[in-house]
Amino acid sequence: RASGEDALEEFLKVNVKYHDRLVAVAGSAQLTDAFRRLGVGTVWRKALNGEEWARQMDHGHIAGLTAALQDRDMAGAAVALRAHTVFGKQLARDVINRHGGEV
């Protein structure tokens, strides 16, 4: 995260691949297609700059979700997924507010 824009670009690529795979695990081609059409990586790429992402992006909840899924710990995965959702919503609110929008 300390590398600014270049690190952000690499993170976004990996993050999109991670989430694409996570969604694909559900086994629904329609869900996977819908996720891909959202273009989440593009949204974050336009919303964040190197400084913002280094300051705000904590991926601990993603690591927790990955570990829980590897361990087949569904209760732990549910907790991590809720934390990930809360984080994403707050980050979206912060970015929208910083760019003059309102939620």
Side-chain angles (χ1 to χ4, degrees):
R1 293 184 310 183
S3 300
E5 291 293 337
D6 292 338
L8 172 59
E9 190 63 30
E10 185 60 30
F11 172 80
L12 289 172
K13 286 178 188 175
V14 171
N15 194 29
V16 166
K17 285 181 185 179
Y18 175 87
H19 285 84
D20 184 73
R21 180 66 182 127
L22 185 62
V23 171
V25 167
S28 169
Q30 291 172 319
L31 180 62
T32 301
D33 181 58
F35 172 76
R36 289 176 180 161
R37 284 186 282 123
L38 282 174
V40 173
T42 302
V43 171
W44 288 123
R45 192 172 288 109
K46 291 179 185 261
L48 297 171
N49 63 38
E51 181 183 317
E52 288 174 323
W53 107 274
R55 187 176 65 247
Q56 295 186 30
M57 296 295 277
D58 174 11
H59 68 280
H61 44 84
I62 295 173
L65 177 58
T66 302
L69 291 172
Q70 277 183 316
D71 295 343
R72 299 188 182 279
D73 174 6
M74 293 306 109
V79 169
L81 188 56
R82 280 192 292 277
H84 183 53
T85 301
V86 167
F87 173 83
K89 287 179 179 180
Q90 186 59 53
L91 181 59
R93 283 186 199 100
D94 293 347
V95 170
I96 289 168
N97 288 334
R98 267 196 310 283
H99 289 87
E102 188 176 316
V103 178

